[in-house]
Amino acid sequence: NRIMFRTKLSGLFRLFRFELPFAAGVCVILGELLALGKVPSIWEMVLGFISVFLISATSLILNDYFDLESDRINAPERPLPSGIVTKREVVFLSSVVTAFGFLAGALLSFWALLVVILTWVVGFLYNWRFKKTGLPGNLMVSFSVGMTFIFGGIAVGKPFEVAVWFFGMLALLINLGEEIAADAMDVDGDRKAGSRSLPVLMG
């Protein structure tokens, strides 16, 4: 039982894909630095990092939930298709992580909370309906990535600083290229799942 519990816990942690939410959180702190031109307060850094880390993690957790069928082909070793965790456990985990992400955003400011909710909605819609649409789905993911820098400006009360928008757009474009390249790697499973990604449509 102890081994099964550790395996289950390990599977739940793997759903976070920590390196990606961590990178998103770091981009928020960089956005705060760019907006202020100095080191922000510990409060702003911690809450900014945590809110975006958790919302990014939620999107990745839900991605595994909605991508179960294609992951059986593309990534059968993932926790959900391999049976380490159940769909119910994935939904519960995503709900808890979302709640704490919203709380962290609310503790920053009302506008920060709105942006956190918007980012969550975009991530949910992408996973639920738009992942198989190809370029529109790629743009939704890239929007969320670009928003990390802009959210940094919002977190410190300077949402219109040119620097955060410049780096936000740069991050969006770079991520868009990565999304299209990732679709090319998953083309076999995506074709069977009915995806309309650019590699499926164009070869």
Side-chain angles (χ1 to χ4, degrees):
N1 287 338
R2 184 175 296 179
I3 293 175
M4 289 178 61
F5 176 75
R6 287 180 179 175
T7 302
K8 177 80 68 179
L9 198 60
S10 174
L12 291 171
F13 275 112
R14 282 173 58 199
L15 291 172
F16 281 78
R17 304 185 209 183
F18 279 94
E19 68 280 3
L20 298 175
F22 181 84
V26 169
C27 287
V28 171
I29 294 176
L30 290 174
E32 293 176 351
L33 287 164
L34 290 167
L36 284 176
K38 62 180 181 179
V39 178
S41 70
I42 295 296
W43 179 255
E44 290 167 334
M45 286 193 290
V46 170
L47 288 179
F49 179 93
I50 288 175
S51 56
V52 168
F53 176 94
L54 294 177
I55 295 305
S56 298
T58 301
S59 184
L60 292 166
I61 293 166
L62 288 174
N63 183 71
D64 276 30
Y65 177 85
F66 287 108
D67 261 12
L68 178 57
E69 294 309 314
S70 61
D71 278 351
R72 292 188 198 278
I73 299 167
N74 293 326
E77 75 286 351
R78 294 290 301 158
L80 192 53
S82 66
I84 295 174
V85 299
T86 67
K87 293 178 75 172
R88 180 176 294 181
E89 289 165 344
V90 171
V91 170
F92 177 75
L93 178 64
S94 69
S95 300
V96 171
V97 174
T98 297
F100 279 106
F102 286 178
L103 176 61
L107 289 173
L108 271 171
S109 70
F110 172 74
W111 293 108
L113 174 61
L114 285 184
V115 172
V116 166
I117 292 173
L118 171 64
T119 304
W120 181 88
V121 169
V122 170
F124 179 83
L125 290 175
Y126 167 78
N127 285 312
W128 180 40
R129 292 292 187 191
F130 286 86
K131 182 175 175 62
K132 296 179 182 179
T133 61
L135 187 59
N138 296 148
L139 286 168
M140 291 174 78
V141 174
S142 300
F143 164 82
S144 298
V145 171
M147 278 301 297
T148 56
F149 285 96
I150 297 167
F151 182 77
I154 293 169
V156 295
K158 292 184 174 292
F160 301 114
E161 288 295 318
V162 174
V164 296
W165 283 88
F166 172 79
F167 279 94
M169 289 301 299
L170 190 62
L172 184 154
L173 293 172
I174 291 172
N175 190 80
L176 182 59
E178 291 178 348
E179 285 293 310
I180 295 171
D183 284 345
M185 295 175 64
D186 292 342
V187 67
D188 291 335
D190 286 347
R191 184 178 288 116
K192 293 179 180 179
S195 172
R196 294 181 57 81
S197 70
L198 289 181
V200 169
L201 294 175
M202 302 178 66

